[in-house]
Amino acid sequence: MCSLFGYLDYQGIMPHRLARKLCQSLANSAEERGTDASGISYVKDGEIVIYKRPKAAHKLRFNPPEGTRAVMGHTRLATKGNEKFNFNNHPFYGKNPGISWSLAHNGCLYNDSALRKEKKLPDTNIETDSYIAVQLIESQQKLNFDSLRYMAEAVHGSFTFSLLDENNSLYFVKGSNPLCLLHFADIGLYVYASTESIMKNALKRVGLHKFAFERIEADEGDIIKIDRNGNITRSQFQPAPNYTNFSKFKWWYGDYDDYYSAYEQTLIDMAHCFGIDENDVILLMDYGYTIDEIEELMMDSDALKQAVSEIKFTDGEYLYESCCGGIW
């Protein structure tokens, strides 16, 4: 599913050795959500720098230079766009008049091709669905809450986006995908990762778990900016609705459109990105598999096929016993 990670050292008091270790620890921990490619972005001499490779994070050495205040990172589970072509990997470079920035995405978008035609955006050799977000923001000629809202309300699918601009400001656009954002006020540090488990593992490796922190809440529809001085400002966007066809079951559920949660619906919507039949995902949900279990199975197609086969076999066996064993 990919993972976002990074930090903002807004007081500039974190030793370089610790900053470098934090960056690598976050990247290595984030591998649990993607090993096809890894990358980071940071600011050097007022310019955005991107370092990315089609390799798992633990095979790379992330070493942002001394004085780096912010790092934005990504580990990738490739869905659309061959990771061997490095231009398909995250982060991506973006530029608006007067400011450059980088973007990373966790999730899967399914209307990128349609948007490119509808908005008359230029064709690109980048195959990754995520890149449409860069193009939409660039089309607005500015990087601010308005352009981020425009992008977030145009794309359909699952997402959380992170951005870093050349002024060392971080932005988060929170869709249905997870985000864990912590503030260590005593040391002037923000740290983020896609999940709590990634965060926990990384902080333990560097000893930051011993320090007091505050969790910064981020809900679906939130846009958050943290500037170079650590100040937070917020805005919001209206998430695109998720629809499911329940015509087969309307006699039972009526017009109850929220039978699946937003995140369950996201998994159903993005099944095709993994070459999976959405009906198999629905089957697993209906048989009690949790979101985390299904997400893990989607990363291992053989395991998913086996789980679905076992359900279908058990179903068939039960129906045989019911019909022929006198239950009905």
Side-chain angles (χ1 to χ4, degrees):
M1 295 283 184
C2 304
S3 179
L4 309 175
F5 66 87
Y7 67 83
L8 171 62
D9 174 24
Y10 63 89
Q11 286 189 3
I13 62 175
M14 185 165 55
H16 179 235
R17 187 174 175 183
L18 177 59
R20 188 173 57 189
K21 188 175 181 181
L22 175 60
C23 179
Q24 191 71 52
S25 296
L26 285 165
N28 290 357
S29 298
E31 275 193 16
E32 70 178 50
R33 291 176 64 89
T35 57
D36 291 331
S38 314
I40 62 170
S41 177
Y42 55 88
V43 179
K44 181 180 180 182
D45 299 327
E47 294 185 358
I48 290 288
V49 177
I50 294 175
Y51 172 74
K52 57 185 177 181
R53 294 289 184 273
K55 293 182 178 180
H58 77 273
K59 294 182 179 179
L60 298 173
R61 287 294 166 262
F62 293 121
N63 187 22
E66 191 160 1
T68 297
R69 289 294 189 93
V71 167
M72 185 190 76
H74 185 273
T75 58
R76 186 178 182 214
L77 175 69
T79 53
K80 184 177 179 182
N82 191 331
E83 74 279 2
K84 292 178 181 176
F85 300 109
N86 202 38
F87 52 74
N88 284 327
N89 298 322
H90 307 231
F92 298 104
Y93 180 79
K95 188 172 180 64
N96 290 108
I99 192 165
S100 59
W101 41 275
S102 54
L103 175 146
H105 167 222
N106 169 25
C108 184
L109 307 177
Y110 56 80
N111 68 332
D112 52 308
S113 297
L115 277 174
R116 197 165 283 116
K117 291 178 183 176
E118 176 192 335
K119 306 292 185 184
K120 296 182 170 54
L121 299 172
D123 289 333
T124 170
N125 65 330
I126 299 174
E127 305 163 303
T128 315
D129 53 305
S130 313
Y131 191 66
I132 192 66
V134 175
Q135 292 186 292
L136 288 168
I137 297 167
E138 287 182 330
S139 74
Q140 298 304 290
Q141 300 291 301
K142 56 192 174 182
L143 176 64
N144 60 15
F145 287 145
D146 289 337
S147 61
L148 294 175
R149 184 181 303 110
Y150 173 81
M151 178 274 293
E153 293 182 348
V155 297
H156 293 172
S158 65
F159 62 83
T160 289
F161 295 99
S162 61
L163 296 91
L164 173 67
D165 72 21
E166 63 185 30
N167 298 316
N168 278 313
S169 293
L170 279 172
Y171 300 79
F172 301 98
V173 182
K174 175 71 171 66
S176 58
N177 276 27
L179 176 68
C180 179
L181 174 60
L182 305 182
H183 182 205
F184 295 81
D186 292 343
I187 52 180
L189 178 69
Y190 288 92
V191 184
Y192 71 93
S194 282
T195 66
E196 290 189 22
S197 63
I198 291 171
M199 180 73 77
K200 193 185 227 180
N201 290 337
L203 295 183
K204 244 182 174 179
R205 291 181 185 185
V206 298
L208 280 173
H209 66 294
K210 299 174 183 176
F211 290 80
F213 61 82
E214 172 196 5
R215 177 160 187 158
I216 307 300
E217 293 302 321
D219 298 320
E220 184 175 4
D222 283 348
I223 306 175
I224 300 172
K225 176 183 178 180
I226 311 176
D227 69 21
R228 61 182 301 163
N229 298 313
N231 300 311
I232 293 181
T233 50
R234 292 175 178 264
S235 187
Q236 289 191 313
F237 67 94
Q238 183 62 49
N242 289 308
Y243 297 108
T244 303
N245 181 7
F246 291 106
S247 57
K248 292 190 297 182
F249 306 107
K250 275 206 169 180
W251 62 273
W252 180 261
Y253 292 112
D255 292 322
Y256 184 41
D257 290 329
D258 297 323
Y259 179 65
Y260 293 116
S261 71
Y263 195 54
E264 285 174 329
Q265 184 59 48
T266 295
L267 286 184
I268 295 169
D269 290 341
M270 67 188 296
H272 73 282
C273 296
F274 293 83
I276 296 167
D277 187 337
E278 67 176 31
N279 292 316
D280 288 344
V281 176
I282 292 171
L283 183 65
L284 292 169
M285 289 177 182
D286 290 347
Y287 271 77
Y289 278 77
T290 67
I291 293 298
D292 289 341
E293 289 169 339
I294 295 172
E295 190 174 304
E296 191 172 333
L297 286 171
M298 289 174 77
M299 298 180 193
D300 186 342
S301 58
D302 290 337
L304 185 140
K305 288 176 185 175
Q306 184 178 345
V308 170
S309 296
E310 288 174 356
I311 290 173
K312 290 179 178 177
F313 175 79
T314 304
D315 239 7
E317 193 175 57
Y318 172 76
L319 287 173
Y320 176 81
E321 290 177 354
S322 298
C323 295
C324 304
I327 296 178
W328 283 357

